[in-house]
Amino acid sequence: MKRIVCLGGGPAGLYSAILFKKALPHAKVEVYERNRPDDTFGWGVVFSDKTMAGFRAVDAPTHDAIVESFHHWDDVDVHFGGRTIKSGGHGFCGIERKRLLNIFQERAAALGVEQSFCREVDASAEVGKADLIVAADGVNSVQRARDAAVFKPHIDVRKCRFIWLGTHQKFPAFTFAFERTEHGWFQIHAYQFSKDLSTVIVETREETWKAHGLDKFSTEESIAFCERLFGAYLGGHGLMSNARHLRGSAWLNFNRVLCERWHHGNRVLIGDAAHTAHFGIGSGTKLAMEDAMCLVAHVAQARDIGTALDAYHAERNLEALKLQSAARNRMEWFENVARYTHLDPEQFAYSLLTASQRIGHENLRLRDPEYVARLETGLARRCGLEERRPPMFLPLRLGSMDLANRIVVSPMAQYSAHEGVPGDWHLMHYGARAVGGAGLIVTEMTCPAPDARISPGCTGMWNEAQREAWRRIVEFVHQHSPAKIALQIGHAGRKGSTQLGWQAIDHPLPEGNWELVAPSAIPYLPNVSQTPRAMTAQDRARVTAEFVRAAQLGAEAGFDMLELHMAHGYLLASFLSPLTNLRDDAYGGAIGNRLRYPLEVLHAVRAAWPLMRPLSVRISAQDWASGGISEADVLAAARAFKEAGVNLISVSTGQTVPDQQPVYGRMWQTPYADLIRNSVAIPTIAVGNIFEADHINTIVGAGRADLCAIARPHLADPAWTLHAAASQRYGSQWWPDPYLTGKSQLERNLERAAQAAPGAV
Ligand SMILES: Cc1cc2nc3c(=O)[nH]c(=O)nc-3n(C[C@H](O)[C@H](O)[C@H](O)COP(=O)(O)OP(=O)(O)OC[C@H]3O[C@@H](n4cnc5c(N)ncnc54)[C@H](O)[C@@H]3O)c2cc1C
Ligand SMILES: Cc1cc2nc3c(=O)[nH]c(=O)nc-3n(C[C@H](O)[C@H](O)[C@H](O)COP(=O)(O)O)c2cc1C
């Protein structure tokens, strides 16, 4: 490696030049930067304490110089609704961006890196032949754009405008403040980064920005506007801009950048050129510097450049995606802040602090136990309780149904019924989970007719034998536990007449198949599944009547709640999704039409179901396939359900089409429960990879959902709730009398383990 050229003298370009020169002292390392050394956009940069440890390991002199210039703080202050909510223990440092770049420039010069300033490079050929070209030219990378066909960038222009300003006000904490105007909300993200300077980023929705005419304001007029709006937080100081280099408005849109490839030949993307993370999570500079560390390590070790760049991409892409996903959650929270302003200030602040889904309840408790105690006390008081407790153990009332806690056993098909009649297996399955402590048990999808079943093993509710078998289960649950039990009813539609879940799932039966109906005649698995018949008016009337009969039988069996299954591509779901409903009559087309049949069923069922007993609907709020159900459709559906008397929406996603591309992760469907709950003001159930008590405490604490359904973990552990209570030392959890000695032993053992290894339990 004889010559390495870094295009761009931001954190990514300079830090990689430094590390390359250290790792390969004989190579000629050059940096080309279009600005002067002291020019900079923006003001400060933040790093967490943890990030700094990694920098020390690779280059102590730059680390030490950065530390000397730091301004350190611990608290986050959220100003909202006339209150300031303080949460401590966050451990951040701020540094002036200009100072950071100067530290890098000096260190690079000392090591012998050649730096050319005021040198705009548009084509790498302009700088001659090199062994490696590091494209570190930032978010609007010319290098990336020139070879867009290779790098395949996805650039998502986001919904807010922001302006990056400075001030002499010394903020005592990382500060978020929210102000409402006649056209919408504005927020600031502010922090001190040097002895007498702070950064203030002002952000608002594009439409709010335009409604104020800010698109026509000069920078000076914009500053005056922001000073008026946020004057209360500025202590008499003004705001300043250093965005002289920007052409056009000083208000920018955040561009979320993802690239499919990061290298081509001997050219490699790094930092913002390869990926961006919204400033709400403050990690762009960290990512850029860590990219540099990884790139240099691989290039220095590998036999050839292609192998090195492949390894760099594989390692950093994963890290960047994780951070980008957390940053996206937080960015969307800020974009949709109006959705959360109905929350009281304590919960609003908590919702902000946990919005990335990376920091949860226990992490906040570790940082600042008193803050979490205040939050828990507030939540308990709103539930009429004197004593605080973990949010997952707060009670909830829905219609006439009182739930002891926020844990739901999610519906899970057992494929173990004969002729639709639940048997001993079901009594054991539901009974064990009821005595296992969950507040609500939802049955598996139970079908209103034999031809509505997914498989021959599905439970049904179309005759007295089934009603009596279910009554036995309901009575067991009521007699032996405080749990409530809901009946989920659903019609399989085009996904019916298939094998048991542990056989060839979604594949037709080898023999004995029955006829399928659906909104449109499209098979689920092309060339494999049966083709359903498009439903006629007569079919619709018959199926509606079957749903009504199932609801009546369910009420007679004593169920506390009824859930209509409109998710996962089954009959009612396939009316809702434009991918499965291609009808050209009044039941297809725009969402109003696609909702028509599900609403007909809902109205009929609501009328048949006792008024005070709650009714829930389960939906797929996203199809994970292009052309699928949109956010606007989902909100329209949720509003229509609420109007029709639904008390609760259980928010799942997907399984509409077999070629779906879901993006999995912890709590991955919770944002949809949050969207519906906080936009439509209706209680929701979140579900999907929620598997720790901390997840539930955080979701309920933040008001992202009212209940959390747990499916697979309940298959492994029927007493999931009892264990979660013991591990949180929540002693008031109900246990069945015959098991009480098990409770005290478990609590004692966990207490001993906690004393032996503090923090491990
Ligand atoms: C409002 C806002 C606030 C932010 N706050 C934080 C924060 O608190 N913490 C944090 O870690 N990150 C923050 N970031 C992100 C951070 O600024 C970037 O992620 C980081 O600077 C990325 O470093 P980089 O070197 O890849 O790109 P940049 O810093 O953008 O550097 C690219 C460099 O390339 C130069 N260049 C571009 N084109 C050419 C060309 N054709 N020829 C020569 N030179 C060229 C540019 O002049 C620039 O100096 C924030 C970003 C924004 C927009
Ligand atoms: C074995 C099994 C059977 C399921 N059957 C149903 C069902 O009958 N009705 C339903 O709405 N969801 C059903 N689901 C989906 C779950 O209720 C839940 O939404 C999903 O498993 C995600 O939750 P988890 O990550 O906690 O497992 C089933 C899931 C599993 C694992």
Side-chain angles (χ1 to χ4, degrees):
M1 187 76 46
K2 293 207 183 82
R3 183 170 180 240
I4 298 168
V5 171
C6 301
L7 299 178
L14 286 169
Y15 204 51
S16 42
I18 291 167
L19 300 184
F20 269 127
K21 196 65 196 171
K22 284 183 68 175
L24 306 164
H26 302 298
K28 193 165 148 57
V29 180
E30 295 159 50
V31 174
Y32 292 86
E33 166 58 46
R34 68 175 168 204
N35 291 332
R36 291 169 300 187
D38 272 345
D39 279 344
T40 185
F41 69 91
W43 297 85
V45 166
V46 273
F47 296 117
S48 69
D49 289 353
K50 203 170 137 213
T51 302
M52 289 309 295
F55 297 158
R56 188 188 310 115
V58 290
D59 191 51
T62 45
H63 168 271
D64 297 348
I66 294 172
V67 169
E68 266 175 38
S69 307
F70 263 158
H71 185 81
H72 198 274
W73 73 93
D74 234 23
D75 292 344
V76 173
D77 282 351
V78 179
H79 300 272
F80 171 71
R83 300 255 322 266
T84 300
I85 311 296
K86 190 179 280 300
S87 130
H90 293 277
F92 277 113
C93 340
I95 182 171
E96 187 178 9
R97 179 174 154 104
K98 189 154 67 177
R99 176 78 194 114
L100 179 73
L101 293 182
N102 290 155
I103 289 171
F104 288 160
Q105 289 157 2
E106 283 161 26
R107 174 77 173 137
L111 287 167
V113 172
E114 294 171 27
Q115 301 171 71
S116 306
F117 294 98
C118 303
R119 192 60 207 281
E120 177 124 14
V121 181
D122 286 340
S124 47
E126 291 170 34
V127 290
K129 226 168 134 18
D131 299 294
L132 180 64
I133 307 247
V134 180
D137 51 351
V139 61
N140 298 315
S141 171
V142 180
Q143 299 301 319
R144 186 186 64 219
R146 288 181 77 88
D147 277 311
V150 179
F151 295 123
K152 297 207 174 82
H154 300 269
I155 302 175
D156 183 8
V157 181
R158 300 303 311 189
K159 296 175 182 159
C160 279
R161 287 277 175 166
F162 67 89
I163 184 166
W164 201 353
L165 302 169
T167 177
H168 290 294
Q169 164 69 329
K170 294 176 192 161
F171 291 100
F174 198 117
T175 298
F176 296 104
F178 299 82
E179 290 294 329
R180 178 182 234 146
T181 69
E182 65 276 30
H183 299 300
W185 286 88
F186 282 76
Q187 58 255 11
I188 56 171
H189 313 232
Y191 56 89
Q192 193 174 341
F193 60 81
S194 75
K195 258 199 341 279
D196 61 350
L197 277 172
S198 297
T199 282
V200 178
I201 302 169
V202 185
E203 192 188 26
T204 188
R205 292 277 294 209
E206 177 99 19
E207 58 271 25
T208 308
W209 176 74
K210 277 212 177 115
H212 279 282
L214 284 159
D215 51 335
K216 298 184 190 75
F217 280 22
S218 66
T219 303
E220 289 67 34
E221 288 166 332
S222 291
I223 286 177
F225 176 91
C226 296
E227 284 171 348
R228 276 198 305 280
L229 195 54
F230 288 103
Y233 310 97
L234 296 175
H237 296 280
L239 292 168
M240 307 172 273
S241 165
N242 62 6
R244 287 177 307 276
H245 68 292
L246 289 176
R247 293 169 206 127
S249 174
W251 292 87
L252 306 175
N253 285 101
F254 177 73
N255 285 348
R256 187 164 184 268
V257 177
L258 284 138
C259 289
E260 283 183 31
R261 276 183 66 88
W262 289 18
H263 61 92
H264 176 42
N266 68 342
R267 261 176 314 144
V268 61
L269 301 179
I270 182 170
D272 274 11
H275 49 67
T276 56
H278 185 257
F279 48 84
I281 200 162
S283 293
T285 306
K286 161 199 151 83
L287 270 179
M289 290 169 66
E290 289 175 349
D291 280 357
M293 287 157 58
C294 176
L295 175 67
V296 174
H298 285 296
V299 170
Q301 277 163 21
R303 274 168 292 118
D304 64 281
I305 195 77
T307 314
L309 299 186
D310 279 341
Y312 155 74
H313 179 218
E315 188 177 326
R316 291 305 297 162
N317 190 35
L318 192 67
E319 273 312 300
L321 281 175
K322 278 198 226 157
L323 248 164
Q324 281 184 311
S325 151
R328 187 199 46 227
N329 291 337
R330 198 110 192 254
M331 170 182 79
E332 288 182 350
W333 191 94
F334 284 109
E335 287 177 348
N336 297 298
V337 73
R339 195 185 284 164
Y340 304 103
T341 50
H342 68 96
L343 300 174
D344 79 72
E346 287 279 1
Q347 198 173 30
F348 176 89
Y350 182 87
S351 158
L352 187 172
L353 291 171
T354 56
S356 72
Q357 294 200 164
R358 269 160 63 100
I359 292 187
H361 200 68
E362 286 316 305
N363 187 289
L364 285 175
R365 199 198 300 279
L366 261 176
R367 292 167 192 257
D368 187 348
E370 282 163 23
Y371 163 71
V372 171
R374 281 196 301 278
L375 175 95
E376 288 183 350
T377 304
L379 292 172
R381 296 246 161 92
R382 264 186 288 133
C383 291
L385 302 170
E386 286 299 315
E387 293 282 304
R388 70 188 175 92
R389 53 176 75 173
M392 66 186 275
F393 296 112
L394 292 170
L396 182 72
R397 166 161 271 237
L398 286 166
S400 60
M401 183 174 78
D402 283 312
L403 298 179
N405 58 49
R406 306 304 181 98
I407 301 119
V408 178
V409 176
S410 203
M412 280 180 286
Q414 298 297 296
Y415 305 103
S416 303
H418 296 288
E419 310 272 312
V421 179
D424 287 351
W425 173 263
H426 299 87
L427 177 68
M428 179 286 301
H429 172 71
Y430 294 112
R433 279 142 194 87
V435 300
L440 177 65
I441 316 287
V442 185
T443 70
E444 63 206 274
M445 176 169 127
T446 296
C447 307
D451 68 346
R453 289 175 301 169
I454 305 168
S455 76
C458 289
T459 49
M461 194 61 119
W462 64 82
N463 63 34
E464 276 74 23
Q466 292 156 352
R467 181 193 61 197
E468 291 314 302
W470 278 118
R471 190 200 297 278
R472 184 166 78 120
I473 294 167
V474 170
E475 285 178 354
F476 179 92
V477 169
H478 287 162
Q479 272 169 25
H480 297 286
S481 81
K484 298 294 189 286
I485 180 162
L487 172 68
Q488 185 189 61
I489 50 175
H491 188 301
R494 70 176 189 149
K495 292 173 85 176
S497 189
T498 62
Q499 301 178 35
L500 306 186
W502 51 84
Q503 298 172 341
I505 193 165
D506 293 326
H507 282 61
L509 295 167
E511 56 190 27
N513 287 288
W514 54 86
E515 195 194 14
L516 303 181
V517 289
S520 304
I522 323 164
Y524 179 66
L525 297 169
N527 305 319
V528 174
S529 303
Q530 287 186 74
T531 301
R533 184 160 55 76
M535 281 176 93
T536 60
Q538 217 178 354
D539 292 326
R540 287 197 300 275
R542 174 177 62 85
V543 171
T544 305
E546 289 165 352
F547 269 109
V548 167
R549 182 180 54 195
Q552 284 162 343
L553 291 169
E556 287 161 20
F559 280 101
D560 302 289
M561 184 175 99
L562 187 73
E563 178 165 283
L564 268 183
H565 198 347
M566 296 200 193
H568 303 165
Y570 297 116
L571 183 71
L572 298 178
S574 57
F575 270 90
L576 292 175
S577 171
L579 296 174
T580 44
N581 181 346
L582 305 183
R583 297 180 74 101
D584 54 11
D585 61 5
Y587 291 86
I591 183 64
N593 280 1
R594 284 184 274 125
L595 260 169
R596 193 178 304 275
Y597 185 58
L599 277 178
E600 281 175 14
V601 173
L602 175 57
H603 284 297
V605 163
R606 181 70 270 187
W609 181 248
L611 192 61
M612 289 310 289
R613 289 195 219 171
L615 181 66
S616 158
V617 166
R618 192 170 224 215
I619 57 164
S620 285
Q622 156 77 270
D623 290 329
W624 304 111
S626 78
I629 197 158
S630 68
E631 185 177 304
D633 290 348
V634 167
L635 291 177
R639 288 197 181 97
F641 297 153
K642 184 180 171 186
E643 233 167 75
V646 162
N647 307 78
L648 179 68
I649 300 187
S650 173
V651 189
S652 185
T653 69
Q655 299 177 46
T656 311
V657 287
D659 55 345
Q660 61 174 1
Q661 300 275 317
V663 183
Y664 295 114
R666 284 175 313 141
M667 302 175 271
W668 60 297
Q669 298 173 147
T670 301
Y672 299 94
D674 179 344
L675 165 76
I676 292 173
R677 178 184 195 269
N678 291 303
S679 307
V680 179
I682 185 163
T684 57
I685 306 185
V687 67
N689 222 11
I690 297 172
F691 55 87
E692 285 179 6
D694 192 43
H695 299 158
I696 307 185
N697 285 330
T698 311
I699 292 168
V700 172
R704 309 189 77 201
D706 300 84
L707 293 162
C708 291
I710 300 187
R712 290 163 299 168
H714 268 127
L715 295 180
D717 181 3
W720 191 93
T721 304
L722 302 186
H723 291 143
S727 67
Q728 294 174 83
R729 297 178 185 70
Y730 175 62
S732 311
Q733 170 61 42
W734 170 90
W735 278 59
D737 289 344
Y739 291 179
L740 282 173
T741 49
K743 174 180 194 259
S744 42
Q745 189 202 34
L746 178 61
E747 287 173 350
R748 231 179 8 257
N749 286 346
L750 287 168
E751 193 60 52
R752 279 200 202 115
Q755 278 164 13
V761 177

